[in-house]
Amino acid sequence: MERDRLIAGLEIDDAEAERMIERAARAVVRAKMDLPAAVALEVVRPLVFLGGQMLTVLVPFLYPLFGKERVDRFTALAGDRRWVRRLAERIE
């Protein structure tokens, strides 16, 4: 069931989150970094929330490179364990 939810002040529906995960997983596999990425995601999973919070420190530097909306949406997903687990599954 698709539902809108508020993540870090942003409304992100499940379909949009799945699209973002799919794009990220394809990019990782295309770069042949699937094994290191899968291992890294498994190792950091318990610290995902803290990592998401720490990522907000880098936001001002990432905005000019990737755009505000894109960075905000990625940051919102990066702090959610459920989506990190889903990304690891898609990469595998």
Side-chain angles (χ1 to χ4, degrees):
M1 173 163 69
E2 187 176 307
R3 60 191 164 99
D4 289 338
R5 30 187 230 144
L6 201 61
I7 302 176
L10 296 172
E11 267 189 48
I12 299 176
D13 62 40
D14 289 352
E16 180 180 0
E18 285 291 336
R19 283 191 301 272
M20 291 175 69
I21 288 168
E22 184 66 27
R23 279 194 310 262
R26 286 180 188 268
V28 167
V29 171
R30 191 173 33 249
K32 298 185 187 315
M33 295 296 291
D34 47 333
L35 184 60
V39 170
L41 288 171
E42 289 298 324
V43 168
V44 300
R45 187 179 300 172
L47 303 173
V48 165
F49 177 75
L50 292 175
Q53 296 301 311
M54 290 175 58
L55 186 59
T56 60
V57 172
L58 299 175
V59 164
F61 303 104
L62 298 176
Y63 280 166
L65 298 173
F66 301 105
K68 181 182 182 334
E69 185 176 337
R70 194 174 189 186
V71 170
D72 287 345
R73 291 189 182 284
F74 175 76
T75 303
L77 285 181
D80 187 332
R81 283 185 190 170
R82 182 171 69 121
W83 295 116
V84 172
R85 183 177 334 115
R86 181 73 180 119
L87 176 58
E89 290 169 359
R90 287 298 301 143
I91 290 172
E92 289 174 8

